[in-house]
Amino acid sequence: MIVHPRLKHLSQSGQMGQMIASFDWKNTSLGDPETWSQSLVSILGIVLNNKIAMYVLWGKDQINFYNDAYAQILDKKHPAALGAKSIETWPEIWDTIGPLFGDVYSGKSVYFENMPLTVNVSGAMVDKFFTFSFTPIHMEDGTVGGVLDTVIDTTVEVKQQEIIKKSEEKFRNYQELSPSPFISLDKDWNISYMNSAALEVLNLPKETIGNNFWTTFPNLEDTIFGESYHKSMRGERSSFEGYYPTYDRWYRVITYGLQPGVAIAFQDITETKKLEERLNKAVASRDEFLSIASHELKTPITSLKIQAQSVMREMKKGNPEIYDPERIKKYFVQSDKQVTRITRLVDDMLDVSRIGSGKLKLELAVVDFKTILTETIERMSDQFMMSSSGKPKIKVKGENFKGSWDAFRIEQVINNLFTNAIRYGEGQPIDVQLEDHGDCIKLLVCDKGRGISKADQELIFERFMRAEDIEFAQGLGLGLFISKEIVLNHGGKIEVESSLGEGATFKVFLPKIKSPEVQR
């Protein structure tokens, strides 16, 4: 192997350095290396010592020089390509790259990323991808003598990206059909994808995709959401339930790492949480009701038991006073009072059951509300007198108080309101007002007792609810609930106005004829 003296230093730069240094260049249009431009010799030194694939086109015939890395791209075109014209080496792609060399010889640089080219590989035409740059090489006089091509075969990477892209498209098509909301984030925390379900649940436009996640969802990063998403960015998987105050919503979330980024699958569980809260309250109310009911039922039963045991003891002693008519009367009066109390408690519980199952039926007939009100006051006169409030007088406004109502149920409402006024009115007079408003009547029952807090006013018409102050609360907490349901079934409404320390006014509005639209 004869090495040309001027190219001897190149022979130390790999296999291609040896081949270039010993090649018979005199039989090419470039001629003896002694006549070559120093620019060409210098650029060859750079190219041959580079690990990236490079080749040089030089002169009017665009003669090929290249390094070891580029020889691998040439495949079986090597070693014939060395010293050959570039158009002869790459005839299959010359229509694409040939015009580009014309631009470079005019002094312009050219760059293409992942350009698709169909090249001859071992006799077969193969679709490949290349990223390359063509740079002009200036000679000493400033003119362009050749072109430096730096090239990377990106075929494997591009095809991998295509596979990933198709996989992502398939996955996103699946996600679009999925009713479950889904979000994916890239490594910079930008929203790379949101399916239709996510956009709908979060009430966001499609233009949200591409925005920064933390900007889109403020105040989220320092919560359990942000903590879990940061873990997933590091490759961890997590699932949790969390509350997002900005949206006032609860979410169940599964999050895991992508390469690179984060995938977030979630579900709005706000209504489930509200249902759980209502159920928990219902269970608490039930437990409280059972406690109250057992106490309320136990009291009259215990009283009856004590009276019966007392009579039995006197009878065993042979005490003739036990048969005294007045004493027997007193015993039966007290027993009747306790039995009446038990009966009322049981009736209330049965009414609650009927209301819950939709079986509270009304027996409608034309009745006079004023008459029902007056008779109820008379029947409860003993209770009014015992409470020191005195029997209330009715203040009447209007004349016609007849309507289509269930007399028994209306009496029940009035009885409950009076019982409530007696129980919490602290012995003060009770004011009653009845008003005729044409197609409806209005009843007001006012006590001058302790009053009801604003918070309790929202609750007292609920099942098993009583005033928070247990010291003063009595009964099962069913009377006002039953009254409300009876009034509603008549197509009316019931409400309360009260302030602590200023008593309470209950208002009942009843249409004289129930509207057909009211179906409860």
Side-chain angles (χ1 to χ4, degrees):
M1 181 179 68
I2 300 174
V3 176
H4 195 284
R6 192 179 183 198
L7 304 179
K8 183 178 180 181
H9 67 288
L10 300 179
S11 64
Q12 307 299 316
S13 302
Q15 181 185 18
M16 288 310 301
Q18 295 174 10
M19 293 182 67
I20 290 172
S22 61
F23 192 82
D24 185 7
W25 295 104
K26 291 180 181 180
N27 290 324
T28 69
S29 61
L30 297 181
D32 191 338
E34 291 294 339
T35 65
W36 290 1
S37 167
Q38 182 58 43
S39 297
L40 172 58
V41 176
S42 298
I43 200 68
L44 289 176
I46 296 171
V47 168
L48 292 170
N49 286 289
N50 207 301
K51 300 299 181 183
I52 297 176
M54 292 182 172
Y55 87 108
V56 174
L57 287 72
W58 194 263
K60 60 183 178 61
D61 291 334
Q62 298 176 351
I63 302 300
N64 296 328
F65 297 85
Y66 51 89
N67 61 8
D68 291 340
Y70 193 84
Q72 296 178 24
I73 293 177
L74 287 166
D75 191 50
K76 290 187 178 182
K77 293 176 184 286
H78 169 73
L82 181 62
K85 295 178 181 179
S86 186
I87 190 173
E88 296 172 351
T89 304
W90 297 110
E92 69 272 30
I93 60 172
W94 195 254
D95 287 345
T96 301
I97 66 172
L100 300 177
F101 290 135
D103 290 339
V104 180
Y105 271 98
S106 68
K108 299 177 182 177
S109 294
V110 175
Y111 174 81
F112 283 94
E113 186 171 352
N114 297 328
M115 175 180 275
L117 294 171
T118 303
V119 298
N120 188 331
V121 179
S122 302
M125 301 305 291
V126 179
D127 294 331
K128 305 198 77 172
F129 295 85
F130 298 92
T131 293
F132 59 84
S133 67
F134 293 164
T135 306
I137 305 172
H138 293 86
M139 296 190 295
E140 291 82 349
D141 61 2
T143 59
V144 177
V147 177
L148 170 64
D149 177 16
T150 302
V151 59
I152 301 174
D153 185 343
T154 58
T155 304
V156 174
E157 289 81 0
V158 170
K159 290 187 174 180
Q160 286 178 340
Q161 287 299 320
E162 287 179 349
I163 293 172
I164 292 172
K165 184 178 180 180
K166 288 180 180 178
S167 177
E168 287 179 346
E169 288 177 353
K170 185 176 180 181
F171 178 72
R172 289 181 180 181
N173 288 337
Y174 166 77
Q175 288 296 341
E176 280 302 312
L177 296 174
S178 172
S180 301
F182 178 84
I183 301 174
S184 63
L185 312 176
D186 64 22
K187 62 182 179 62
D188 297 317
W189 297 104
N190 295 317
I191 301 171
S192 57
Y193 175 70
M194 295 179 75
N195 68 356
S196 299
L199 292 170
E200 182 179 354
V201 167
L202 299 172
N203 194 28
L204 292 173
K206 195 169 184 179
E207 291 72 23
T208 302
I209 298 173
N211 293 345
N212 180 268
F213 182 75
W214 304 121
T215 302
T216 304
F217 301 101
N219 308 316
L220 193 67
E221 191 165 7
D222 294 330
T223 67
I224 187 174
F225 296 90
E227 179 184 347
S228 298
Y229 299 157
H230 277 287
K231 287 181 179 178
S232 293
M233 189 65 83
R234 298 192 294 269
E236 298 181 30
R237 178 188 174 97
S238 63
S239 60
F240 62 92
E241 292 181 359
Y243 174 70
Y244 183 32
T246 303
Y247 279 27
D248 189 26
R249 309 295 290 178
W250 278 89
Y251 299 98
R252 181 179 291 119
V253 182
I254 298 175
T255 177
Y256 50 92
L258 293 176
Q259 292 300 324
V262 177
I264 305 168
F266 65 98
Q267 181 183 8
D268 188 328
I269 58 169
T270 305
E271 296 308 316
T272 301
K273 283 291 184 180
K274 288 180 179 179
L275 178 59
E276 287 178 0
E277 185 179 358
R278 289 196 295 269
L279 288 174
N280 289 334
K281 287 182 177 179
V283 170
S285 297
R286 179 204 64 189
D287 292 343
E288 182 181 4
F289 165 71
L290 291 175
S291 174
I292 295 169
S294 62
H295 172 74
E296 292 292 331
L297 287 169
K298 187 176 181 180
T299 300
I301 291 172
T302 300
S303 179
L304 285 172
K305 185 177 181 180
I306 290 173
Q307 290 180 51
Q309 289 174 340
S310 176
V311 171
M312 291 293 292
R313 282 197 301 270
E314 294 300 320
M315 289 176 67
K316 286 180 180 180
K317 291 178 182 179
N319 186 356
E321 294 181 4
I322 195 65
Y323 301 104
D324 179 67
E326 287 299 321
R327 190 166 181 176
I328 292 174
K329 180 181 177 181
K330 182 179 179 182
Y331 168 73
F332 279 113
V333 168
Q334 291 175 342
S335 297
D336 181 67
K337 181 179 178 181
Q338 301 305 327
V339 170
T340 300
R341 184 176 178 184
I342 293 173
T343 301
R344 174 148 188 170
L345 291 171
V346 173
D347 286 343
D348 281 352
M349 288 187 283
L350 288 174
D351 279 343
V352 169
S353 177
R354 294 188 188 103
I355 291 168
S357 61
K359 295 180 179 179
L360 183 66
K361 302 299 181 182
L362 299 180
E363 301 293 336
L364 300 178
V366 177
V367 294
D368 190 310
F369 192 96
K370 182 180 176 183
T371 300
I372 298 173
L373 178 61
T374 302
E375 290 176 351
T376 303
I377 291 175
E378 289 300 324
R379 273 192 293 272
M380 297 183 67
S381 58
D382 288 346
Q383 292 172 254
F384 287 122
M385 299 309 293
M386 289 177 64
S387 70
S388 303
S389 63
K391 189 165 65 175
K393 293 182 179 180
I394 307 173
K395 185 177 181 180
V396 179
K397 291 184 178 181
E399 297 179 356
N400 181 17
F401 296 100
K402 290 184 178 181
S404 179
W405 302 304
D406 184 324
F408 173 76
R409 293 300 181 183
I410 293 299
E411 179 185 342
Q412 193 175 357
V413 172
I414 297 170
N415 191 296
N416 283 336
L417 293 180
F418 283 154
T419 299
N420 205 65
I422 292 170
R423 183 175 292 162
Y424 299 106
E426 299 182 340
Q428 299 297 313
I430 298 170
D431 296 329
V432 179
Q433 187 166 308
L434 182 60
E435 301 174 0
D436 175 14
H437 289 270
D439 58 354
C440 72
I441 63 98
K442 177 181 177 182
L443 171 68
L444 292 87
V445 177
C446 310
D447 68 64
K448 299 176 178 61
R450 303 179 64 253
I452 307 167
S453 69
K454 291 292 183 183
D456 281 341
Q457 288 176 37
E458 300 293 327
L459 301 174
I460 57 174
F461 292 106
E462 297 299 320
R463 193 180 332 208
F464 309 138
M465 291 297 180
R466 309 184 306 168
E468 286 291 334
D469 195 336
I470 301 301
E471 179 184 352
F472 289 90
Q474 300 176 36
L476 296 177
L478 295 175
L480 292 176
F481 168 73
I482 294 170
S483 297
K484 180 192 74 172
E485 293 298 321
I486 292 173
V487 171
L488 290 176
N489 270 270
H490 278 86
K493 66 177 180 178
I494 183 170
E495 56 190 37
V496 63
E497 286 184 3
S498 181
S499 297
L500 286 176
E502 297 182 10
T505 298
F506 284 86
K507 302 177 182 179
V508 176
F509 301 85
L510 281 175
K512 293 179 179 178
I513 299 177
K514 181 181 177 182
S515 171
E517 286 79 18
V518 180
Q519 299 294 334
R520 287 183 55 85

